Amino acid sequence: MTTLPVATTRSATAQRRIRRAGAVVAATLVNGVLWGVCSVFGVDFWLSDSGGAGAVTLPIALVATAVSGLLGWATLAGLERLTRRALGLWTGLAVGVTLLSIVPIFLEQATTGTRIALTVLHVAVAAALIPAFRSR
């Protein structure tokens, strides 16, 4: 009798991992496409501040998206081991991190198009990852 629930739990865990990994890949791909579309429409993704200047290139955008997704997943997995309220806590944290990640965009010197495009990229990651990580 105990074998069935264990097998079901393992299967559910494997499915959840596959879904979350797929969400990280999907968010990364969506951000790559959005970056490309914005570039076609003339967004230069150039930022500058007192520390220097540089562009957010496609590889930077892709790596940042993948790393952010993996960190979010690791945080959720850690919370799931520590508390029964992991999804609620993680969702609040994810929304907060998303909002905080947008603030520096407006502290940098950049064109309006770059600011809007980067904000859209940040929100797109959250829109892809939060529901996918939360689903059971």
Side-chain angles (χ1 to χ4, degrees):
M1 246 193 221
T2 60
T3 307
L4 183 59
V6 171
T8 303
T9 301
R10 286 184 185 150
S11 175
T13 301
Q15 289 175 351
R16 185 172 51 237
R17 286 180 182 154
I18 290 168
R19 185 178 57 254
R20 289 176 180 175
V24 172
V25 170
T28 302
L29 292 174
V30 165
N31 250 8
V33 169
L34 287 173
W35 186 96
V37 168
C38 291
S39 291
V40 166
F41 284 102
V43 175
D44 61 10
F45 290 100
W46 191 259
L47 301 168
S48 63
D49 62 14
S50 60
V56 178
T57 62
L58 180 58
I60 290 171
L62 295 176
V63 169
T65 302
V67 168
S68 297
L70 292 172
L71 287 172
W73 182 4
T75 302
L76 177 55
L79 286 171
E80 286 172 336
R81 291 177 178 260
L82 296 173
T83 180
R84 292 177 184 252
R85 298 179 7 172
L87 282 176
L89 290 170
W90 181 84
T91 302
L93 182 62
V95 169
V97 167
T98 300
L99 294 174
L100 287 174
S101 76
I102 294 169
V103 172
I105 295 169
F106 294 92
L107 299 177
E108 301 277 338
Q109 297 294 320
T111 64
T112 301
T114 294
R115 287 183 174 147
I116 291 170
L118 288 173
T119 301
V120 168
L121 294 180
H122 284 230
V123 171
V125 171
L129 295 180
I130 293 172
F133 283 6
R134 286 186 52 86
S135 68
R136 295 186 181 250

